Amino acid sequence: MEVKAAAPAGPGAQAPGSRSLAEIVFAGALAAGGVAVIATSWRYPGESATYPMVIGAGVAGLGGWILLRELLRRRRGKPTAGHFAEHAPRLAIGLAALVAYFVAVSWIGFILPSVALGVLLPAAVGFRRWGLSLTVAVVSVVLILLIFVLALERPIPTDILSPLGRLLR
């Protein structure tokens, strides 16, 4: 049985149970983050600015698109229904895992925290297919290593497994 949110009072109004405001705030933050990346990379020398500028433009563009979409929905009196977080504890676990990941990468390196995040984060939010999670995490990390270390020749943070990477060179 599907539960539908009540219609808002008029154009621009927020329906009860609507996550419209959260969508707008998220989209604005996303667009602002993309613009900040562009502004920061503008100072990089030569071609080293291209990649972050493209990523920043993409992020800003997606944020702008989400923002415009939600504003148009509100104007038509049909804001996005639902709650910002259907399961707040899982959202908190996910955010805490990302913070722990960034701290772990700076302390232990890239490989082990990335595999751990790829396996444990889905499990924390309810995905229990351990074999699939481990396979996807390992393949993802290997692909990232192949792209950045071998193809682009960019270093990654050292790791206790870094000696294995030297065997690939």
Side-chain angles (χ1 to χ4, degrees):
M1 181 171 145
E2 186 177 327
V3 178
K4 295 184 180 181
Q14 185 169 332
S18 169
R19 69 172 192 241
S20 182
L21 182 59
E23 291 276 332
I24 290 170
V25 169
F26 170 75
L30 199 60
V35 169
V37 168
I38 293 169
T40 301
S41 62
W42 199 268
R43 294 175 284 199
Y44 294 169
E47 292 179 2
S48 63
T50 304
Y51 181 73
M53 278 189 179
V54 169
I55 296 297
V59 168
L62 288 173
W65 177 69
I66 294 169
L67 181 63
L68 180 63
R69 180 191 67 189
E70 192 56 35
L71 290 174
L72 289 173
R73 284 180 178 168
R74 287 183 87 167
R75 187 168 184 203
R76 291 185 204 118
K78 297 181 180 181
T80 302
H83 301 286
F84 170 65
E86 296 295 327
H87 197 280
R90 288 182 180 175
L91 175 64
I93 289 169
L95 292 174
L98 290 176
V99 169
Y101 171 74
F102 287 117
V103 170
V105 166
S106 66
W107 284 350
I108 4 178
F110 171 76
I111 299 170
L112 291 178
S114 297
V115 171
L117 181 73
V119 173
L120 298 177
L121 184 58
V125 296
F127 189 77
R128 298 284 190 252
R129 294 181 60 191
W130 295 98
L132 180 60
S133 291
L134 181 62
T135 302
V136 169
V138 169
V139 169
S140 298
V141 169
V142 168
L143 287 174
I144 289 169
L145 289 172
L146 290 173
I147 290 168
F148 283 94
V149 176
L150 293 180
L152 298 175
E153 297 179 352
R154 297 288 178 226
I156 60 164
T158 56
D159 194 286
I160 58 174
L161 297 178
S162 292
L164 294 176
R166 290 187 196 104
L167 297 175
L168 296 173
R169 294 183 188 162

